[in-house]
Amino acid sequence: LPYPEWRRRLDVEDLALLKNVGFDFLRMPVDPIPFLSPKAGHLRERLLTSVLEGVRTINAAGLKAIVDLHPIPRGADRFAGVEELLRDGALFERYLDLVRDMGRTLAAEDPERVAFELMNEPVTGCEGAEGAAWDDQLGQLFAAARSSAPRTTLILSGACWGSASGLAALNPNTIPDENILWGFHSYDPFILTTQGALWAGDFIRYVTGIPYPPYEHKAELEAAVSKARARIRADAPFMRRSGMLDYLDEQIAGIDTKEELDAQM
């Protein structure tokens, strides 16, 4: 069974190392598509149980856990992705059933140690008109979760990929609940937050080792940029190298200095 797949590579000792270096929670993505596939209906309870086992493994290491329903774009081996879940009314109803079942699975866990994120980065609402649709769907998701998990801490976000602007556009008074964490996602600067990610385009995979905060580690930053340039020259497609090198310089130049950050405060 696929959940949580990280248990094939990590154990409690590995999680304890994360605790020891200062982390206090882990966000555990759970792809909803296997739960929604007609082919996996007979495995639903076992899949839910495996999620709960993962949560308890994280808690046993002294870490809090977020169970994050994390739909991803549709692929060749997937009958639906996040776009289809939001636009297909019948499929969204099945997703609501999953939210109820997942809520039931987590309902008995300590709400100070386990939280339930109802959907990662809803993709609608970036053009404004679809924002109202997400408001309605978010209300339905909240109601579904609360129907089976009245005590569980819930994590909600706004439209447009869970952005800060999407969150700001929400009216929190429409969610009559105090046990809510409101979240948003930001990836700026992209070269820092997504460095090395194989799924984030053909450029960023060559960039690793960018320190945080960059302006306090200038020597490390310069060394990382030099290594990135060398990787691009050696390994990137020939016709893309020049553009990637220019883009690298553009991204580095766009990182704020301490003075620029102070001026924004």
Side-chain angles (χ1 to χ4, degrees), residues 128-175:
E130 293 177 323
W134 172 243
D135 289 355
D136 177 66
Q137 289 175 312
L138 181 63
Q140 293 182 61
L141 289 167
F142 166 77
R146 274 290 174 255
S147 70
S148 58
R151 296 175 55 252
T152 302
T153 301
L154 302 180
I155 299 178
L156 308 180
S157 63
C160 196
W161 299 88
S163 63
S165 59
L167 179 61
L170 282 176
N171 178 4
N173 294 325
T174 62
I175 304 293

Side-chain angles (χ1 to χ4, degrees), residues 30-258:
V30 175
D31 184 356
I33 295 304
F35 292 86
L36 302 177
S37 170
K39 297 179 180 179
H42 64 293
L43 296 174
R44 191 180 185 96
E45 288 303 317
R46 288 179 61 193
L47 288 168
L48 290 165
T49 298
S50 69
V51 171
L52 183 59
E53 290 171 350
V55 166
R56 290 177 173 172
T57 298
I58 293 170
N59 283 168
L63 295 158
K64 299 178 182 181
I66 295 173
V67 175
D68 159 44
L69 285 183
H70 200 107
I72 59 178
R74 180 176 182 172
D77 59 343
R78 302 168 58 82
F79 69 88
V82 60
E83 294 89 348
E84 289 78 16
L85 287 173
L86 291 171
R87 295 172 184 166
D88 184 321
L91 191 56
F92 186 72
E93 287 295 329
R94 289 164 58 194
Y95 188 84
L96 290 174
D97 286 338
L98 172 59
V99 169
R100 294 183 190 97
D101 285 349
M102 192 66 72
R104 170 178 53 81
T105 301
L106 302 175
E109 305 306 297
D110 183 349
E112 294 190 1
R113 301 182 69 205
V114 178
F116 180 21
E117 186 170 1
L118 308 187
M119 179 177 282
N120 175 70
E121 295 190 353
V123 299
T124 59
C126 293
E127 301 301 324
E130 293 177 323
W134 172 243
D135 289 355
D136 177 66
Q137 289 175 312
L138 181 63
Q140 293 182 61
L141 289 167
F142 166 77
R146 274 290 174 255
S147 70
S148 58
R151 296 175 55 252
T152 302
T153 301
L154 302 180
I155 299 178
L156 308 180
S157 63
C160 196
W161 299 88
S163 63
S165 59
L167 179 61
L170 282 176
N171 178 4
N173 294 325
T174 62
I175 304 293
D177 197 296
E178 294 184 355
N179 193 19
I180 297 292
L181 296 176
W182 295 97
F184 70 91
H185 294 182
S186 173
Y187 298 96
D188 294 328
F190 175 78
I191 197 169
L192 172 67
T193 64
T194 321
Q195 55 183 304
L198 298 179
W199 47 265
D202 63 348
F203 158 76
I204 199 68
R205 68 184 61 199
Y206 301 109
V207 182
T208 59
I210 304 295
Y212 177 82
Y215 57 77
E216 289 188 1
H217 305 276
K218 293 183 178 179
E220 292 179 38
L221 177 61
E222 291 175 0
V225 172
S226 294
K227 289 180 180 178
R229 288 195 179 102
R231 291 191 194 102
I232 290 170
R233 292 189 181 105
D235 301 328
F238 179 77
M239 297 299 292
R240 295 277 292 119
R241 291 176 191 174
S242 177
M244 286 185 180
L245 291 170
D246 290 342
Y247 187 64
L248 174 62
D249 291 339
E250 177 184 325
Q251 288 289 304
I252 295 299
I255 297 176
D256 289 334
T257 65
K258 186 176 187 306

